[in-house]
Amino acid sequence: MRTLITLLFILVFFVVSLIMFPFFWIYSKINKKKKDMLCLRIVQWAFKVVLFIAGTDLVIEGEENIPEKGPVLFVGNHRSYFDIVISYSLVKDLTGFISKESVMKVPVLGMWMRRLYCLPINRENTREALKTILKAIEYMKNGISIFIYPEGTRNRHPGELLNFKEGSLKPAEKTGANVVPVTTINTEEIFENHLPWIRKTKVKVIFGTPIETSSLEKEEKKHLGAKMQEIIQNEVSKNAAL
């Protein structure tokens, strides 16, 4: 029943979105920043409804570490499609997610993502991936936060993170922005571990202490990905019994 109701809500939201998009275009000509924030709040509301229908019991730790204003680079582990739903519902300011290209090709969803400064990345094409990272740097210089999953794909190995790609942390290194580690625990139990059904699940999200990249030594910046992986891996290991 949860799965059916969730799908119905998403379908209705997508249909209503097509009616709203022309209004957003007009509003952007009047006040682009307010239009951006309106889009963010609407999507956050929709994601919170999805989580409510799914029966997700969300436990948040370190909420005080979520910045009120950007730009910051959020770095997280990736176990489920619901990681994005959960994380996006919690950010406080405009934040673009770096996502694989196929997600942004989904009708209506891709239109929302482009309006919210999300960026597609092709991990198989180094040149195209570099363009995405450079665009992320540009966004952050303009005050927009970025959320990235440096493992590069959803991790299907319980308890162990995939190696973080150091290049993923370049937006913070090049802008001097703070980096916030975000650990999600048990999200795969919402959906992926029992496809195609959505199940009621307890999930924990841990926002770690922001790291000031501007105060790091050059060598520390070069290995920032490894440092973030260590921080998030420690949280995953500590919360394995959730």
Side-chain angles (χ1 to χ4, degrees):
M1 184 61 71
R2 291 183 189 279
T3 306
L4 178 59
I5 297 174
T6 300
L7 290 173
L8 285 173
F9 172 76
I10 292 171
L11 178 61
V12 171
F13 180 74
F14 277 13
V15 171
V16 174
S17 295
L18 294 174
I19 300 171
M20 290 191 290
F21 286 148
F23 165 75
F24 294 146
W25 181 82
I26 295 170
Y27 195 18
S28 68
K29 304 300 180 183
I30 301 169
N31 193 319
K32 189 173 186 303
K33 183 168 179 58
K34 284 190 176 180
K35 184 274 297 182
D36 288 343
M37 291 306 297
L38 176 62
C39 287
L40 172 65
R41 299 308 179 210
I42 289 172
V43 170
Q44 287 185 313
W45 171 82
F47 281 170
K48 287 175 182 177
V49 172
V50 167
L51 293 170
F52 175 77
I53 297 170
T56 305
D57 179 11
L58 202 56
V59 178
I60 307 167
E61 187 176 299
E63 194 166 6
E64 68 279 4
N65 292 322
I66 306 175
E68 295 286 344
K69 294 291 181 182
V72 298
L73 182 68
F74 294 98
V75 175
N77 61 315
H78 195 20
R79 300 282 299 169
S80 168
Y81 287 119
F82 272 83
D83 293 333
I84 296 175
V85 176
I86 292 168
S87 299
Y88 215 96
S89 71
L90 296 174
V91 297
K92 297 177 181 178
D93 198 16
L94 200 60
T95 304
F97 275 66
I98 293 182
S99 172
K100 61 182 181 180
E101 286 183 310
S102 58
V103 175
M104 295 195 69
K105 291 177 181 178
V106 176
V108 183
L109 177 60
M111 296 171 73
W112 272 113
M113 293 177 75
R114 284 187 287 275
R115 280 167 175 77
L116 290 169
Y117 299 92
C118 295
L119 294 167
I121 191 163
N122 183 348
R123 303 277 185 190
E124 307 303 319
N125 187 319
T126 304
R127 180 176 294 179
E128 291 302 314
L130 178 59
K131 286 181 182 178
T132 297
I133 295 300
L134 291 174
K135 191 66 176 178
I137 293 170
E138 179 186 327
Y139 282 172
M140 291 187 71
K141 286 180 177 178
N142 289 322
I144 299 166
S145 295
I146 294 293
F147 202 121
I148 192 165
Y149 298 105
E151 290 173 285
T153 187
R154 281 181 295 127
N155 180 6
R156 295 172 174 82
H157 303 286
E160 292 294 328
L161 302 184
L162 301 177
N163 288 332
F164 279 22
K165 295 173 172 57
E166 291 291 344
S168 300
L169 281 293
K170 286 294 181 183
E173 181 185 335
K174 295 298 183 181
T175 60
N178 290 353
V179 182
V180 178
V182 185
T183 310
T184 50
I185 308 292
N186 214 36
T187 49
E188 67 275 17
E189 282 298 325
I190 301 173
F191 182 59
E192 279 79 4
N193 280 1
H194 30 72
L195 292 169
W197 311 114
I198 291 173
R199 298 283 175 83
K200 183 177 181 179
T201 306
K202 182 178 181 180
V203 169
K204 189 172 186 179
V205 184
I206 304 156
F207 289 88
T209 303
I211 294 174
E212 297 181 7
T213 58
S214 59
S215 65
L216 296 178
E217 299 292 335
K218 185 176 180 180
E219 194 64 22
E220 290 178 305
K221 289 181 180 179
K222 284 175 59 178
H223 302 288
L224 186 56
K227 180 178 179 64
M228 299 304 293
Q229 180 176 343
E230 180 183 2
I231 291 170
I232 294 174
Q233 181 65 69
N234 287 340
E235 293 292 357
V236 168
S237 300
K238 277 167 44 181
N239 292 275
L242 181 67

